[in-house]
Amino acid sequence: MFGLRVLRAAVFTAGAIGGLSGAAYGLLTEQSKRARKIIGPPAAALRADGVYLPEGVGPLDPADPRITGDPLVFAVLGDSSAAGVGCDTDEELPGVLLARGLAEESERPVRLLTHAISGATSRELAGQTDAALLTPPDVALVIIGGNDVTARLSPGACALLLGAAVRRLTETGTAVVVGTCPDLGAIRPIAQPLRSLVRSWSLTLARAQRKAVLLAGGQPVALADLLSPEFLTRPAELFSKDMFHPSAAGYAAATQVLLPELCAAAGVWDGGPLPTQPTRSAAAEARRPTAKLVAKLNWRLKQVPPATSHSAAVTGQ
């Protein structure tokens, strides 16, 4: 997801931009220290690149004689969420799960090439794209955004960098799917009010990313909207031991929403209509008044007696 420096960056930026009082600044700083202590240092990402066969065999060396036909090349770019930090075995990696799913759905071999690096920001996407284009992929997945706040890049700047990478890939014929910035407010070790600040940043970035990806010819997938409700209600199951990166179950949940889009982008989806992607953030939807609240407000309005001529004169109406 995003580097631990985000906690320090959040406090710094909130103090510089938001005009926090000394007490509020001290509170956020203390929350940042506690969260870093709970989360601990990040673990190294596993890697299981190679060719995966439709029957579930893999990873194989590209020269393995069991591979028949040209494999569909699948590239994974981005940060630790794309690399699979938090998984305990190769089989749990999101790239592996998606490569197996693509192979089964397309009924052809799929070659997985992982260029994602833990801790990467949108600034590193250009280098990852260079590496990916050395073996031009048929389909690519990009998950990026969380670490951008550590460099205090603006959402607009991040979106431009992402859009440029997506455009370079699509111009070479690569179908690109982008998992937009997850809802970082779902990370429990980050206490309130720091958690609300981080959530606001991540959702703002996700909206900017969505626009940039569409303009560049890619397909965005709103991870915050589609996954945060589950992560908020099942944190012990869907987060790894550090309570920061997803667990194997968390990555499996993410692949369930990403695989249909990847298959559709590759032209091999045969699972029926794809779900409509949300255009409004989950957090914004959560702030909308419920039908029950609207009914209560209407009831209260009906209880207010009509204004008398005296009251109308007092109020100037």
Side-chain angles (χ1 to χ4, degrees), residues 237-308:
E237 178 185 355
L238 298 184
F239 280 103
S240 63
K241 295 176 183 177
D242 64 11
M243 291 302 294
F244 187 77
H245 294 93
S247 64
Y251 282 117
T255 59
Q256 288 176 7
V257 301
L258 289 168
L259 181 59
E261 296 291 348
L262 282 169
C263 289
V268 298
W269 177 247
D270 193 27
L274 293 173
T276 302
Q277 289 290 319
T279 58
R280 183 178 174 88
S281 77
E285 287 292 339
R287 290 195 295 268
R288 293 181 63 183
T290 63
K292 183 180 292 186
L293 176 59
V294 171
K296 183 182 292 185
L297 290 173
N298 287 334
W299 179 84
R300 287 179 177 175
L301 285 173
K302 291 177 182 178
Q303 309 310 307
V304 177
T308 64

Side-chain angles (χ1 to χ4, degrees), residues 26-223:
L27 172 62
L28 293 181
T29 300
E30 183 59 31
Q31 289 179 341
S32 169
K33 291 178 180 178
R34 284 202 300 268
R36 291 200 304 272
K37 184 176 181 180
I38 294 171
I39 293 167
L46 301 172
R47 186 66 61 99
D49 286 3
V51 178
Y52 292 83
L53 303 183
E55 54 268 27
V57 177
L60 303 176
D61 184 274
D64 194 296
R66 288 173 288 179
I67 302 171
T68 58
D70 293 330
L72 183 150
V73 180
F74 170 44
V76 179
L77 296 78
D79 56 21
S80 59
S81 292
V85 172
C87 293
D88 294 322
T89 68
D90 293 350
E91 293 294 314
E92 299 168 347
L93 292 171
V96 171
L97 296 176
L98 292 168
R100 291 190 186 282
L102 280 167
E104 181 179 357
E105 191 69 27
S106 64
E107 298 182 345
R108 61 181 286 194
V110 171
R111 183 181 179 185
L112 170 64
L113 295 172
T114 303
H115 305 286
I117 300 172
S118 178
T121 71
S122 294
R123 286 176 170 170
E124 281 73 62
L125 274 182
Q128 292 185 21
T129 304
D130 290 340
L133 290 176
L134 293 176
T135 305
D138 298 294
V139 61
L141 170 68
V142 183
I143 303 178
I144 198 77
N147 292 306
D148 290 322
V149 292
T150 66
R152 294 193 292 276
L153 297 173
S154 73
C158 297
L160 287 174
L161 292 168
L162 172 60
V166 172
R167 187 171 292 105
R168 287 181 62 197
L169 290 165
T170 56
E171 286 177 348
T172 64
T174 301
V176 182
V177 173
V178 175
T180 56
C181 188
D183 178 6
L184 307 183
I187 301 173
R188 294 299 180 87
I190 304 176
Q192 295 289 15
L194 184 57
R195 191 190 306 169
S196 293
L197 177 64
V198 173
R199 168 175 283 130
S200 177
W201 281 0
S202 59
L203 295 178
T204 298
L205 177 56
R207 289 193 295 270
Q209 288 177 325
R210 180 181 185 277
K211 294 177 182 178
V213 170
L214 289 172
L215 286 173
Q219 175 58 46
V221 177
L223 296 181

